[in-house]
Amino acid sequence: MSSAKVKAGQLWGKGKDDLKKQLDDLKSELGQLRVQKIAGGAASKLTKIHDLRKSIARVLTVINSNQRTQLRLYYKGKKYLPLDLRPKQTRAIRRRLSKKEASIVTEKQKKKQMHFPQRKYAVKAEA
């Protein structure tokens, strides 16, 4: 059994299978501690349960982060990106016109700008 806290730094170097195995070990140990708690175990078991839950969370965080990294690599050159991998931003920003869309000028507007350009005025600056 792994009685010590799991360090996140050690987890990043491990492979997927090692992480899954460690997760199963931690979960089984947590189950045993919960049974002991009901049976009337010592108070030290309660803090150990807390540490185990946090360790499980760390392992799951590393697994999910690795998975998301792999998905980002997979969707790198693709046309569409899953919603959870897109930048969050705000709703208004996501719906805003892109730079290209905003810079498009219609044919009518082009003619209008060509035939009626903005007038230039000579203004004398006061000293």
Side-chain angles (χ1 to χ4, degrees):
M1 296 288 161
S2 61
S3 57
K5 287 184 189 178
V6 175
K7 298 271 195 287
Q10 298 167 346
L11 295 175
W12 290 109
K14 291 188 175 181
K16 185 179 176 183
D17 297 331
D18 292 338
L19 289 171
K20 288 280 187 190
K21 186 177 180 301
Q22 186 166 8
L23 183 64
D24 291 338
D25 292 343
L26 290 169
K27 282 185 176 181
S28 64
E29 189 177 347
L30 181 63
Q32 290 172 358
L33 281 175
R34 285 189 171 148
V35 169
Q36 289 175 3
K37 176 185 163 191
I38 293 168
S44 63
K45 304 285 187 205
L46 295 175
T47 57
K48 200 170 180 188
I49 287 174
H50 176 265
D51 292 343
L52 269 175
R53 288 179 60 233
K54 300 303 173 190
S55 295
I56 289 171
R58 284 187 194 99
V59 173
L60 284 172
T61 300
V62 171
I63 289 172
N64 290 332
S65 179
N66 288 341
Q67 194 174 28
R68 287 174 70 82
T69 306
Q70 291 301 317
L71 282 170
R72 283 188 196 283
L73 288 174
Y74 175 75
Y75 284 105
K76 183 96 172 156
K78 303 274 194 295
K79 184 175 181 183
Y80 295 110
L81 196 63
L83 293 177
D84 60 332
L85 295 180
R86 293 179 193 174
K88 177 79 169 114
Q89 300 172 325
T90 62
R91 194 166 187 264
I93 291 173
R94 291 195 304 267
R95 279 153 181 73
R96 190 163 59 190
L97 291 176
S98 68
K99 298 255 189 226
K100 185 177 180 183
E101 291 168 337
S103 66
I104 293 173
V105 182
T106 62
E107 200 62 39
K108 184 175 183 177
Q109 191 65 30
K110 284 179 191 171
K111 288 179 183 176
K112 198 173 177 184
Q113 287 170 350
M114 178 150 344
H115 295 297
F116 303 100
Q118 187 172 13
R119 293 179 176 180
K120 297 182 178 84
Y121 295 98
V123 180
K124 182 182 176 185
E126 293 184 39

